[in-house]
Each structure stands twice: as structure tokens, then as C-alpha cells.
Amino acid sequence: MTVASFLAPALLLVLTAQALHVAAKCPFHFGRARVDENVGAVLQAEPRRMLLTFDEAAVQKLDINAVKADLKALFVDSQESWPADFGHYGPLMIRMAWHCAGSYRLSDGRGGCDGARQRFDPERSWADNVNLDKARGLLWPIKQKYGDALSWGDLIILAGDTAIESMGGPILGFCAGRIDDADGAASLPLGPSLDQEMVAPCSVNGECEAPLGASTMSLIYVNPEGPLAVPDPELSAPQIREVFSRMAMNDSETVALIGGGHAFGKTHGACPTGPGPNPMQQPWNPWPGTCGEGPMKGKGNNTFTSGFEGPWTTNPIRWDNEYFVNLLKYDWKVYVGPGGHHQWEPVLKEDADPEDDLPDIIMLTTDVALLKDPIYLELVKLFAANQTALDIAFSHAWYKLVTRDMGPYSRCLGDQVPPPQPFQAPLPPPPAKIPDYKAVTKAITKALRVISPALPYDPVNGKPYYGALFATLAWQCASSFRQTDYTGGCNGARIRLAPQKDWPQNVAMDKVLKVLEPIKDSFPGLTYADLIVLAGNTALTDAKAKGMRFCGGRSDADSDEPPVTVTPQRVFNDKLVQLKDNAIVMGLTFREAVALKAMIRSPSQQQRLGYSGSWTDNPTRLSNEFFKVLLDNDWVNVTSAAGQLEMKAVGKEGVYMMPCDLAIKWDPVFAAIAQEFVTDSTAFYTAFASGWNKMMNADRFKGPAGNECKS
Ligand SMILES: *[C@@H]1O[C@H](CO)[C@@H](O)[C@H](O)[C@H]1NC(C)=O
Ligand SMILES: *[C@@H]1O[C@H](CO)[C@@H](O)[C@H](O)[C@H]1NC(C)=O
Ligand SMILES: *[C@@H]1O[C@H](CO)[C@@H](O)[C@H](O)[C@H]1NC(C)=O
Ligand SMILES: *[C@@H]1O[C@H](CO)[C@@H](O)[C@H](O)[C@H]1NC(C)=O
């Protein structure tokens, strides 16, 4: 569980040193061949997350305690087909839940157990997920019993929660509402796959960098044996910190999770020959095991998952802080275990009573690492001395681990949802008094063409015009939304606050807000969030866009709230990848993403961003002209005075596009859409409105699938 106490070294090798050798032998395998069969499965196709049925009413009616009771009975009913360690499936369920959730990464919000893509490749064949097919198999009768009321995602997490609880551990609550994906496509960027190579490449497997979450392809976090399997705890500690932070975990959460997780269960590595072929290689009998003989081959005491062997505590089916006590009580000596991997055994400290018995437990390099870092060591001491502190830290960190990918509190269902947590970025309720939005719209329309002292105006034909800046502000506010983890968006108007206000792409947005401030002040109950969106809509409608829908009721985040973790849209060297990946992360269709590129642009704002100008000096009208200019001209790379790479129309003065605009022309799928928009302006206006309205309202959650702006 550090998490990969369960990684399979044989498979690790497949992915590293021996990749070519093994690839040549296997008909099915990870790595290039699979990649080639699935060329750009996500990035070339329309960005679509295929979902299975989701019946919100059924989920609301689900008796969660009844499911828990069924799970508890199942945990202690050991089956011959897969005998339970210590007569209890709890630890196996915790590992499954953790590995389902632990794929979450902050960089683009991908991963996590919402979608339950652990059932599909690539995740199901990950080295860290060895034998989790057996765990899901054990849950199948319960899945059948509750049907659509209990998604696989909810069931997997609830099984982990219930396992912790049934062994005496603390649980904060349960946020139901995970919607199952119909395939594993949304996990392709987690790798290994061609999508991952484009979106998040890893040059040295074992030292993979952000935006990847894990250090090692097909593990959840880091190699528990140590970086690149070198059993050096001092090298391991900084890697643990780095990788857990990419998964949104700080030091106390990290230590509580590692030690809390390792309070339960054991590692498995009965022999050095590995677990056998994975589900992709042998779907009819995945991971049959290679240790032992006869009917118990690969099972029970012959199980192979991570290749390490042994428990961390003397009672692996009871919640306590013994793990931390053990870490401190003994010195630890490295040896090679029966699975052929470095692991650590206890030895008596010099000042110990030589008559003391040594318990039959082990530690991994990543466990011993917690003693080698001064901050981690203090936390180990705290949790060894104070069970209550561990209970609090672990229950909160666990809830965050399994819920972080589900977005705000308002997406949670069920009667066991704990109060909003900091990671859910809770907003205050919107003001009770609703302003007269028609009157606000009128005031904004007037402000479009009246000089404001807050910002030297963008003259168009010698007259003031703020429309392009209002639209830009609304877009910058709303386009931080990610459908991958339901974070960001304009609700809360966090573009006013750090860190977003300081993002380079938001330069001068504070001044545009100042232009709008008199309107905010003259309408009690009007929030910045509503005002920003309405100003964008109003500017676009003034510019002849059609079908802008406004749905009020947003609230503003308190300006003294602790900084919320949001990340700007990712920038790629390859602008084709950028356009597609950003669209997918935002939840836009490719048509919508292409249409939105034609948004009215302020030439002065383009200059503030470091470009020489825009493709038109008349941004007062939204039209398909953008695509005509894009397709009908030849473009050359130039560098602006401020050092930005931009594209200049050949033979035209002052006509500029950005490289990501040109990506529309370079990509055949996008170019086809652009051509259609040139010849059919209705198609353009429709796609533009669809994308714009989607982005403005994407964060108005009402349950996992609903939106308060859609009837
Ligand atoms: C880590 O985050 C948790 C939850 O926000 C917080 O309670 C805790 O104090 C943080 N720990 C550190 C070391 O910052
Ligand atoms: C596994 O080994 C332990 C310790 O030797 C033993 O107590 C237990 O009965 C064995 N379990 C099985 C299923 O053989
Ligand atoms: C143990 O930790 C809890 C929770 O942080 C705290 O309230 C309590 O005072 C601590 N107990 C001791 C003895 O330090
Ligand atoms: C122009 O810039 C694009 C985008 O960075 C780059 O891919 C391309 O190679 C450049 N072309 C030339 C001729 O420099």
C-alpha cells in the first residue's frame, strides 16, 4: 500500500529493463504493441466519457447500512476459491479501494475511483493491482443484489470503508454518487498507453515526473522497495513526499495513510517467480500464481502480489497504532525475502532487554523511510504516542483519498455524507435576495461603451469598448473547470483570489473587475460570480452571439478562505495535444472547443499577454470570420517584442494568431470543423453557444449527474 506494497516485481521488470525482451515474446502485453493497437484512443476520438446507467433516485434510496451488513458478513466468510488471510477479507478490500482511488492526480484531475476504471485496462492489469480481480469477484454477489443503486465505484469504496470500520478503525462517512464508466478510456492518460505518452510522458520509469501521479508506471505511488528498487530509505523519503503531493496529500496525511493502511493485512511474495500473466495477457485466468503446488497453488500462503512477504503488525485485522510503535521500538535490517525483494526485519535496539522476543513482522523501504526524514519522524512519534491523533488524521486523510476526485460536497449523495471538508472547497450559500438580473444586464450593456477610470479603454474605431474584456474575464473565470475532478469554474469567483488572480493568463483581470465594481455595488445581493458570467454573456450577446443562457445563483468565496488547490490549464509544446487535452479535461466536445476559439479578443489584452495583436482589430462582432482568416491565410512563426511565439499572416500587416489557433488548421479533424463553420454560420453560432453555456454552468452541481441550471 505505500502503496505498492503489492506491486509485482516481475511485471515491473516487464516495464523497465527487460521491456524489449519480454515484449518480443508475449502476444499481449503492456508497452508499445498495445499502444500501437490503440493509437490515440482518446486524443483522436471525440472526448466522451462513456457512462453506464446512473439512477440517482435509486442511489438516494439505497440503505447503506444494509450494504455494510452484507459486506461485513462477506468479509469473514472465507471462500476456498480465494482463502482469506487471517480469515478476513477486510485488508484485501482496503487495498482494492485504495488502489482504485489512489490513481487520482492533481495535475489534471484524472484518476480516482469515480468511474471504477480499475475494472478495465489499463488499470486492471497494473502491477499494483495484482489479484484485485479476485476482490472484485468476491463483491459481485453484492453488486448484483443492489443493482443500479450501487455503482461499482461506490461499492469498491464502501467495501474499503466498511473493512476499516469492521476491524475497529475510524471512518468519517461516505459520499455516494460515483458513476461507472463503460470502458477504461478515461484512464488511458494514466498509462501505459500512447495517450499517456502524449499527455504525461515518463522518461525514466521509476522516476516519472508530474504531471504523472506515480513515480512508476502501473504502480499507485512509489516503488516500496525504494527508488528504482534500491533499498535506501533516505532516498525513498523525498520521493514519497514528492509523489504524495502530486496526489494532493501533505506530510501528516501521507504518514497517517501509510501507517494507517499498514495497520491492516500483509504483503505477499511466497516465492520469487511472480504472480503469472496479467488479465491483458491471460484474460481467462489472470494471475494464476506460480508458488506452491496442487489446489492451493498461488492461493493462501502461496499468494504472490507485491513480491514482499509478511505483515507489519502482530494483529493485522485490528486497527491500532502498533505500526508506528514497531517502527520506533526496533532497529531495522534489510534482507532479501522469499519473493526475491529487499524487505526489512526487526532487530533489538542496543539498549533493549536481550531476552525480548522479536515479533514476526516486516517493514518495507518506504516504511523505514519515515524514520529517516525529520518531519516524518516527528509524525511517527506523534502517532505512536497518541492513538486519537492517528484516528483523526487517518480518518480525514482516508476520506479525502477516496473522495477527492468527486468534486464539491453538493455532488455527494446518501445519508452518511460528512460535513464539507476543506478539499471540497466549500462555498458560502448564495445571498437570499436575488437581484433584478434584467436591470443588471442593462447596466452592463451601458458599461460596454463608457470609459471607466479603472482601465484605459480599448478604443475600437475611436470609441471605448469593453466587450472583449468582459467576455475574456468570464472565460478566464469559468474555464478553470475540469470535468475530471469537478473542480474549478466561476462559482465562488475565485479569480479574485490567490492563486488564480496571479496566474499570468489572468493579467489585468483585476482591472476588468474594477470596471464592473460600480455595478456590483449598486445591486444588493449581486455576487461577483454572477456578475462576471452575466457580463460575459451580455458582451457576447451585444457582439451578436445567439443563445447565451444565464442562470443566476452563484456565490462568492470568502476572501480569507485558505487557498484552494486549482491548477491552470496545462500548456503543452504540442499545441494539437494541448487543444484536445484541454477540451477533454474541461468536458467540451471538439466542435465546442473549436467554436470557442473564435471568441472576441481584445487586441490590448493580447498585447498584455505578450502578443503583437489579434487576428482582427474589430472585436465587436462574434462571427465565423475567425475561421475564414485562419484557413485562407498562410502563416509564419514570428517572435513578438515580448518574446512570445506567435503566427503572422503572410503578406498582411497586423494580423496575428496564436500557435494554438493554428492547431485548428493543422489537425484534420479540427480543420474539417472549421471548414464547416466557414460555410455554415448557424452551425458555428450553435456550437459556440453550446460550449459557452456549458462552461459557464458546468460547476452548478446538483448531485453527481444533475445541474441546477438544467430543468
Ligand atoms: C494537512 O492537511 C490537513 C487537512 O487539511 C490538515 O489538517 C493538516 O494540518 C495538514 N498537515 C500539514 C503538516 O500541513
Ligand atoms: C498459512 O501459514 C500460517 C503460518 O504458518 C498458518 O498458520 C496457516 O494455517 C496457513 N494458512 C493456510 C491457508 O494454509
Ligand atoms: C492526542 O491527540 C488529540 C488530538 O489531536 C489531542 O486532543 C490530545 O490532547 C492528545 N493527547 C495527548 C496526551 O497529547
Ligand atoms: C512554428 O511553431 C510551431 C509551434 O511551436 C512549431 O511546431 C513549428 O515547428 C514552427 N515552425 C517553424 C517553421 O519554425
Side-chain angles (χ1 to χ4, degrees):
M1 270 181 305
T2 331
V3 142
S5 37
F6 302 96
L7 83 129
L11 288 177
L12 246 192
L13 289 179
V14 169
L15 296 170
T16 54
Q18 301 184 2
L20 291 176
H21 171 66
V22 177
K25 278 199 305 201
C26 303
F28 306 96
H29 54 83
F30 280 150
R32 293 292 333 185
R34 159 156 175 91
V35 161
D36 293 341
E37 287 152 17
N38 289 277
V39 173
V42 167
L43 285 177
Q44 287 206 356
E46 188 71 20
R48 213 171 7 194
R49 192 178 148 209
M50 300 286 288
L51 303 177
L52 294 179
T53 325
F54 182 72
D55 180 349
E56 181 160 334
V59 180
Q60 286 285 22
K61 271 186 270 163
L62 175 70
D63 181 349
I64 294 174
N65 287 331
V67 183
K68 284 182 164 184
D70 288 346
L71 284 166
K72 282 177 187 167
L74 176 122
F75 293 162
V76 292
D77 182 14
S78 182
Q79 305 291 313
E80 248 175 64
S81 58
W82 190 255
D85 297 329
F86 320 107
H88 204 302
Y89 288 120
L92 175 65
M93 298 294 161
I94 294 172
R95 174 176 160 237
M96 173 173 54
W98 189 328
H99 288 207
C100 192
S103 60
Y104 174 78
R105 65 187 185 204
L106 216 43
S107 58
D108 56 12
R110 286 187 166 109
C113 201
D114 187 14
R117 288 176 301 276
Q118 192 189 70
R119 295 167 299 145
F120 307 113
D121 286 313
E123 284 187 59
R124 83 171 170 148
S125 296
W126 279 5
D128 239 350
N129 291 339
V130 174
N131 287 331
L132 291 182
D133 55 322
K134 280 79 172 183
R136 292 189 298 274
L138 289 165
L139 292 183
W140 171 228
I142 296 185
K143 173 69 181 114
Q144 280 188 79
K145 177 172 172 186
Y146 294 95
D148 285 351
L150 183 62
S151 66
W152 269 111
D154 279 352
L155 175 54
I156 288 170
I157 297 304
L158 192 58
D161 286 0
T162 308
I164 293 170
E165 220 171 45
S166 75
M167 294 183 282
I171 282 297
L172 213 57
F174 179 62
C175 162
R178 290 166 192 79
I179 306 178
D180 288 341
D181 283 16
D183 59 36
S187 285
L188 285 175
L190 304 179
S193 73
L194 183 57
D195 287 87
Q196 165 259 316
E197 284 176 26
M198 287 194 279
V199 167
C202 174
S203 47
V204 181
N205 195 15
E207 292 175 350
C208 302
E209 292 171 11
L212 278 170
S215 73
T216 308
M217 298 302 314
S218 100
L219 298 190
I220 307 294
Y221 296 85
V222 300
N223 187 336
E225 196 170 4
L228 296 168
V230 176
D232 181 339
E234 299 191 22
L235 286 181
S236 178
Q239 196 184 47
I240 294 172
R241 176 169 289 122
E242 152 72 17
V243 165
F244 272 75
S245 76
R246 289 188 227 159
M247 316 287 215
M249 296 297 175
N250 68 21
D251 286 346
S252 44
E253 290 164 332
T254 302
V255 175
L257 280 173
I258 293 175
H262 291 180
F264 301 113
K266 68 183 283 285
T267 55
H268 302 83
C271 66
T273 47
N278 70 33
M280 203 185 291
Q281 295 160 331
Q282 186 168 291
W284 55 92
N285 184 20
W287 291 310
T290 59
C291 315
E293 291 300 330
M296 284 304 289
K297 183 180 175 192
K299 295 178 190 169
N301 285 347
N302 294 320
T303 302
F304 191 110
T305 53
S306 63
F308 304 101
E309 180 59 36
W312 294 268
T313 70
T314 55
N315 189 344
I317 55 172
R318 180 191 64 207
W319 168 253
D320 56 26
N321 63 351
E322 191 198 307
Y323 167 92
F324 295 103
V325 173
N326 289 343
L327 262 183
L328 293 171
K329 185 168 171 187
Y330 305 104
D331 284 333
W332 295 92
K333 192 167 140 259
V334 71
Y335 71 109
V336 175
H341 286 270
H342 295 98
Q343 53 187 52
W344 300 69
E345 63 188 357
V347 289
L348 291 179
K349 285 199 191 260
E350 266 176 22
D351 56 359
D353 180 346
E355 302 293 298
D356 275 358
D357 283 339
L358 283 171
D360 198 4
I361 57 172
I362 63 148
M363 292 285 167
L364 305 175
T365 303
T366 42
D367 298 308
V368 179
L370 302 182
L371 299 170
K372 303 295 178 187
D373 175 273
I375 299 171
Y376 287 164
L377 179 60
E378 281 313 301
L379 289 159
V380 170
K381 287 180 180 164
L382 169 69
F383 295 146
N386 188 332
Q387 175 77 50
T388 310
L390 175 63
D391 288 357
I392 294 171
F394 177 76
S395 58
H396 282 82
W398 175 265
Y399 183 67
K400 176 173 168 179
L401 170 73
V402 299
T403 318
R404 178 65 179 81
D405 63 326
M406 296 186 60
Y409 173 80
S410 54
R411 295 191 69 256
C412 292
L413 296 179
D415 57 7
Q416 303 195 5
V417 185
Q421 300 294 307
F423 71 85
Q424 295 172 314
L427 288 171
K433 184 174 160 35
I434 291 178
D436 176 352
Y437 291 119
K438 278 208 173 114
V440 178
T441 305
K442 245 178 153 171
I444 295 168
T445 307
K446 196 168 160 215
L448 284 173
R449 293 187 172 80
V450 174
I451 297 176
S452 162
L455 181 63
Y457 63 91
D458 286 356
V460 173
N461 298 331
K463 293 184 192 129
Y465 177 67
Y466 291 101
L469 289 172
F470 289 177
T472 302
L473 174 63
W475 177 254
Q476 290 304 116
C477 191
S479 63
S480 59
F481 177 78
R482 323 195 283 203
Q483 58 84 26
T484 46
D485 60 354
Y486 307 97
T487 58
C490 200
N491 201 1
R494 291 192 169 99
I495 196 169
R496 296 166 302 138
L497 312 175
Q500 283 183 53
K501 74 177 172 62
D502 303 317
W503 290 352
Q505 60 269 47
N506 288 339
V507 61
M509 289 300 114
D510 54 338
K511 299 202 175 71
V512 185
L513 270 167
K514 282 260 180 243
V515 175
L516 291 169
E517 204 169 68
I519 302 176
K520 164 92 170 68
D521 293 343
S522 54
F523 289 94
L526 177 63
T527 58
Y528 269 115
D530 273 345
L531 174 59
I532 291 168
V533 171
L534 191 51
N537 281 15
T538 305
L540 286 165
T541 304
D542 176 83
K544 303 288 184 276
K546 298 173 177 71
M548 304 288 101
R549 273 193 298 113
F550 179 72
C551 166
R554 292 170 187 78
S555 65
D556 290 343
D558 293 328
S559 50
D560 57 356
E561 76 170 12
V564 167
T565 324
V566 278
T567 45
Q569 280 177 7
R570 285 193 54 207
V571 174
F572 296 77
N573 287 335
D574 184 332
K575 297 301 167 192
L576 293 182
V577 174
Q578 178 167 325
L579 211 54
K580 292 186 177 183
D581 193 61
N582 285 350
I584 292 167
V585 168
M586 285 191 278
L588 293 171
T589 66
F590 285 172
R591 287 178 73 77
E592 291 165 343
V594 171
L596 285 165
K597 281 281 166 198
M599 204 180 64
I600 50 176
R601 277 179 213 176
S602 150
S604 73
Q605 182 66 6
Q606 288 298 100
Q607 283 164 10
R608 280 183 207 103
L609 292 170
Y611 299 97
S612 303
S614 184
W615 59 274
T616 170
D617 55 8
N618 184 357
T620 63
R621 183 141 163 66
L622 179 79
S623 78
N624 57 359
E625 186 66 19
F626 169 80
F627 301 104
K628 243 180 107 51
V629 174
L630 181 68
L631 297 180
D632 291 355
N633 284 289
D634 290 327
W635 302 88
V636 284
N637 287 358
V638 291
T639 305
S640 73
Q644 290 276 27
L645 177 69
E646 59 186 351
M647 313 297 298
K648 187 178 179 307
V650 176
K652 301 262 169 76
E653 272 321 299
V655 179
Y656 295 96
M657 294 251 181
M658 295 189 278
C660 52
D661 297 324
L662 263 294
I664 294 173
K665 185 169 176 165
W666 298 329
D667 181 81
V669 173
F670 285 175
I673 297 171
Q675 287 176 346
E676 186 194 338
F677 289 163
V678 167
T679 55
D680 181 351
S681 72
T682 308
F684 160 67
Y685 284 117
T686 305
F688 185 93
S690 165
W692 179 269
N693 290 331
K694 184 190 272 183
M695 284 320 289
M696 295 304 130
N697 299 316
D699 56 359
R700 309 292 304 280
F701 308 108
K702 190 175 159 201
N707 186 297
E708 56 184 17
C709 295
K710 284 187 198 133
S711 48

